Amino acid sequence: MMALKVTPASAAIVNNNHLFQMSNTLNQKVLALANAKKITITDIDAPIFSGKLPIHLYAKSLDIYDQTRRLSDDNSLPDKGLPNSILRPTNVLNLLSDINDVMDSALRNAQINPQGFEQERPLGKNANEAFRDLWLLSYRLAALVPPPNAIETLHQLNMIEAQVRLIATQTQLTIPSVSLGEASAKTPRDVMLTLYQDMHLLGRLQRQLGTEAIAPGALRSGELGMADIYDTARTLLADLHRMKTSLSIDNAAKNIPMPKTASLNDLYSRAQLVHDLLLSLTGSSL
């Protein structure tokens, strides 16, 4: 049976099947590139996700785009960010196609023919399954390029606080006075538990403001690391972006500089500050 290659130009209606196919193809290419570089990628069971929307797939694809840029010798590749518009599967596929082009260049540099990786289009895939395959792709790329560190992750959490404050201001909510507390001996799971509380509180705020609420899902068992914290922070940022679009907020949050240093304790403190901020904005009790 002939393999079907789907591109944005050839797909009249882009759906999650197309996204899963492209992600699956990219996963094969990453594994082939790792094999050529004699890099071992440890098998892992990807988490089960729920409530994923095109905005979340696009945000995850942006992370993957940044990873593939670091694989390339082409310094002219542009930065990309979340556009201030409603995102659909077509937008995600266009971004994945850009990633595929960069990946093919990396394969050719490694003397690997980028042709022949395409598969027959899958059927019945949903956004959660497509996101799960993108999660695997990002995890595997982390073996080829440096994964996010604590400084980059703290930067994401700082931007989350800024976006929450912006939305509160634009919707005429009273912004409470909350301060950054101290933390010690915190683990990745401590940070993740707080971020999941943040997502639940954000969902409460979204419902109060009449927008669709985030679906946090369940925190996975097993060992957690910096990549999990970064990924969750990116999900929160994507949902805040979707919230701003729903509320017709065009204003941008103030520019947040990259922190100089960061630790798990810093990440926990910032996640807790966001928690306290959302707690007050929603009128929730401790």
Side-chain angles (χ1 to χ4, degrees):
M1 183 177 291
M2 181 178 294
L4 173 63
K5 181 178 181 180
V6 179
T7 65
S10 66
I13 300 176
V14 174
N15 58 37
N16 294 310
N17 293 322
H18 302 117
L19 305 183
F20 188 92
Q21 182 205 17
M22 179 66 83
S23 178
N24 187 266
T25 300
L26 286 166
N27 267 292
Q28 292 181 58
K29 292 180 176 182
V30 169
L31 291 173
L33 189 60
N35 185 60
K37 293 177 177 288
K38 302 187 185 310
I39 295 174
T40 300
I41 299 178
T42 305
D43 288 336
I44 189 172
D45 288 330
I48 302 299
F49 297 98
S50 63
K52 295 304 180 185
L53 300 168
I55 179 66
H56 303 122
L57 274 68
Y58 194 92
K60 190 61 184 169
S61 298
L62 279 177
D63 295 339
I64 294 166
Y65 175 78
D66 185 60
Q67 288 177 292
T68 52
R69 283 176 68 208
R70 287 186 254 175
L71 280 176
S72 174
D73 295 328
D74 185 357
N75 295 322
S76 67
L77 292 169
D79 286 327
K80 293 180 183 287
L82 286 170
N84 191 26
S85 61
I86 295 174
L87 292 168
R88 295 181 170 84
T90 300
N91 304 109
V92 182
L93 187 59
N94 287 335
L95 181 54
L96 290 177
S97 296
D98 290 343
I99 294 169
N100 190 57
D101 290 341
V102 180
M103 183 61 65
D104 284 356
S105 176
L107 288 170
R108 283 189 288 269
N109 289 340
Q111 306 301 311
I112 300 173
N113 182 0
Q115 303 302 316
F117 285 94
E118 287 76 23
Q119 292 184 335
E120 183 179 357
R121 189 177 70 193
L123 297 174
K125 297 298 180 182
N126 59 40
N128 298 321
E129 291 170 304
F131 187 91
R132 188 171 189 262
D133 217 50
L134 288 172
W135 188 94
L136 272 173
L137 177 58
S138 181
Y139 164 79
R140 288 165 174 164
L141 274 167
L144 303 176
V145 294
N149 58 31
I151 290 176
E152 293 168 314
T153 305
L154 181 58
H155 188 229
Q156 303 301 311
L157 297 183
N158 291 343
M159 289 193 291
I160 288 170
E161 181 193 350
Q163 292 290 355
V164 171
R165 291 182 180 276
L166 173 66
I167 290 171
T169 299
Q170 294 297 310
T171 54
Q172 300 182 331
L173 294 175
T174 300
I175 300 178
S177 175
V178 293
S179 58
L180 197 64
E182 293 186 4
S184 62
K186 295 303 179 182
T187 66
R189 184 163 293 276
D190 293 329
V191 180
M192 287 290 288
L193 285 169
T194 305
L195 286 176
Y196 266 70
Q197 292 175 3
D198 293 349
M199 285 194 282
H200 283 286
L201 287 169
L202 177 60
R204 188 173 300 175
L205 180 62
Q206 289 168 329
R207 284 188 291 271
Q208 289 179 2
L209 293 176
T211 66
E212 186 177 355
I214 188 173
L219 180 59
R220 71 183 178 91
S221 59
E223 185 178 357
L224 298 171
M226 193 62 64
D228 297 290
I229 301 172
Y230 182 89
D231 188 64
T232 304
R234 294 289 291 171
T235 296
L236 268 164
L237 274 175
D239 230 78
L240 286 164
H241 181 275
R242 178 178 63 83
M243 188 179 179
K244 285 173 58 181
T245 301
S246 298
L247 295 169
S248 300
I249 297 175
D250 297 326
N251 306 60
K254 66 178 182 179
N255 184 50
I256 304 297
M258 189 72 71
K260 302 294 185 183
T261 62
S263 67
L264 281 171
N265 293 328
D266 296 325
L267 297 178
Y268 178 87
S269 294
R270 185 63 59 178
Q272 187 63 46
L273 184 144
V274 172
H275 172 273
D276 294 345
L277 180 60
L278 288 168
L279 198 69
S280 181
L281 289 172
T282 56
S284 304
S285 59
L286 288 169

